[in-house]
Amino acid sequence: VGGGGWLGSWLPANGSLHGAAVDRLLAFNLNVLFGLLILAHLILLYAVMRPRGEKATGRQPLPSAWLAEGWTIFLSWVLFAGLTVSSERLWADLRYEGPSPGAMQVEVTGVQFQWYFRYPGADARFGGTQPRLVDAATGNPLGLDPEDSYSADDIVSSILVLPEGREVDLRLRAQDVIHGFFIPGMRLKQNAVPGLLLHVHFTPVRPGIYPILCTQVCGSGHARMQAVLRVIPEAEFDSWLEARGAARKRQVSP
Ligand SMILES: [Cu+2]
């Protein structure tokens, strides 16, 4: 699944479909920059050690400023334009193009200092929420509206469980301040912003456990705002969802 070459052993193992392309781009960028660093130092060394002229006045005449600087500026412009275009294409696949119609919907909510994940349940539709109903102490951290029939089968979890090989469309929300949703192992990072509903989609392809972090300093508990993504085979996921759904039903109508 990796694609970073020498960089691969430095990064957390990649578990997503698009991740190999991200790693390749990252490694390519670093290779290019390392090459430029070496080149710049060679030029610097040459400038210091270049042969002096025989005349007593000293150095040989310098090449014109246009020759010395113009072509390097032009070449760097071509290089950085090329890097921008290739990374933009990768970015567009994840952000500008929508998910496939069969993508699974999961809502992610960032709250000081916790991530919540909501699955729409059997009706495949998220129920309404009300800010005034938000109350983590009574088991309703997202403020699910019991009046809304769509919310009756919604499942709220503090870990993100996803089936292997199926595209997921995440809907990111925040209740209080800006949080940064980051799954290093999925090469996925997106801010959750209060008042906005932001989509990002990806496909996990390797079963395993992946840490989820918050990358925006969101308050005193920021450092412990962590969660876990579990990627499991589809059949196992179906039974997990079913078990959570049954538990939810008991909770709604005892
Ligand atoms: Cu946070």
Side-chain angles (χ1 to χ4, degrees), residues 123-137:
D123 60 9
R125 217 177 140 154
F126 292 102
T129 55
Q130 298 279 350
R132 64 184 165 80
L133 297 174
V134 168
D135 189 357

Side-chain angles (χ1 to χ4, degrees), residues 90-118:
L90 190 58
W91 182 259
D93 277 350
L94 291 175
R95 313 286 172 139
Y96 305 153
E97 311 232 324
S100 62
M104 197 175 79
Q105 302 276 321
V106 182
E107 184 192 76
V108 178
T109 305
V111 189
Q112 285 171 325
F113 299 97
Q114 163 101 45
W115 292 107
Y116 290 104
F117 307 98
R118 179 158 69 126

Side-chain angles (χ1 to χ4, degrees), residues 179 214 216 218 225:
H179 297 279
C214 178
Q216 297 289 356
C218 57
M225 185 164 170

Side-chain angles (χ1 to χ4, degrees), residues 16-253:
S16 73
L17 193 60
H18 71 274
V22 174
D23 291 0
R24 262 196 304 276
L25 188 67
L26 191 62
F28 181 68
N29 273 263
L30 288 173
N31 286 338
V32 166
L33 290 179
F34 186 67
L36 286 180
L37 179 80
I38 298 290
L39 186 68
H41 281 82
L42 288 179
I43 293 173
L44 204 62
L45 268 179
Y46 171 75
V48 174
M49 302 172 70
R50 76 199 163 88
R52 310 289 162 117
E54 292 108 51
K55 287 180 193 152
T57 46
R59 295 157 181 244
Q60 289 172 346
L62 285 166
S64 77
W66 171 243
L67 262 181
E69 290 173 21
W71 67 270
T72 45
I73 289 171
F74 176 71
L75 284 185
S76 348
W77 182 83
V78 170
L79 176 70
F80 284 104
L83 289 175
T84 306
V85 169
S86 55
S87 59
E88 189 72 6
R89 199 170 299 150
L90 190 58
W91 182 259
D93 277 350
L94 291 175
R95 313 286 172 139
Y96 305 153
E97 311 232 324
S100 62
M104 197 175 79
Q105 302 276 321
V106 182
E107 184 192 76
V108 178
T109 305
V111 189
Q112 285 171 325
F113 299 97
Q114 163 101 45
W115 292 107
Y116 290 104
F117 307 98
R118 179 158 69 126
Y119 299 77
D123 60 9
R125 217 177 140 154
F126 292 102
T129 55
Q130 298 279 350
R132 64 184 165 80
L133 297 174
V134 168
D135 189 357
T138 61
N140 193 4
L142 300 182
L144 292 191
D145 186 356
E147 309 276 287
D148 184 346
S149 60
Y150 289 118
S151 76
D153 65 348
D154 285 10
I155 295 156
V156 178
S157 168
S158 57
I159 63 166
L160 177 58
V161 181
L162 295 176
E164 169 195 4
R166 181 155 173 212
E167 190 176 20
V168 200
D169 179 24
L170 295 181
R171 308 148 54 97
L172 273 92
R173 299 170 61 203
Q175 268 181 12
D176 34 37
V177 298
I178 297 175
H179 297 279
F181 185 72
F182 184 30
I183 318 179
M186 293 291 140
R187 307 296 189 262
L188 188 85
K189 195 193 245 179
Q190 171 65 52
N191 279 357
V193 183
L196 293 182
L197 181 62
L198 299 169
H199 285 260
V200 67
H201 57 97
F202 71 105
T203 308
V205 289
R206 200 170 57 90
I209 298 206
Y210 303 88
I212 298 175
L213 311 170
C214 178
T215 57
Q216 297 289 356
V217 181
C218 57
S220 60
H222 160 71
R224 60 181 158 80
M225 185 164 170
Q226 298 166 3
V228 152
L229 159 65
R230 258 182 72 206
V231 179
I232 53 181
E234 180 109 43
E236 206 180 311
F237 173 77
D238 291 343
S239 51
W240 176 81
L241 203 59
E242 207 170 299
R244 293 301 298 257
R248 169 88 173 117
K249 214 172 279 174
R250 281 197 300 277
Q251 187 192 335
V252 173
S253 49

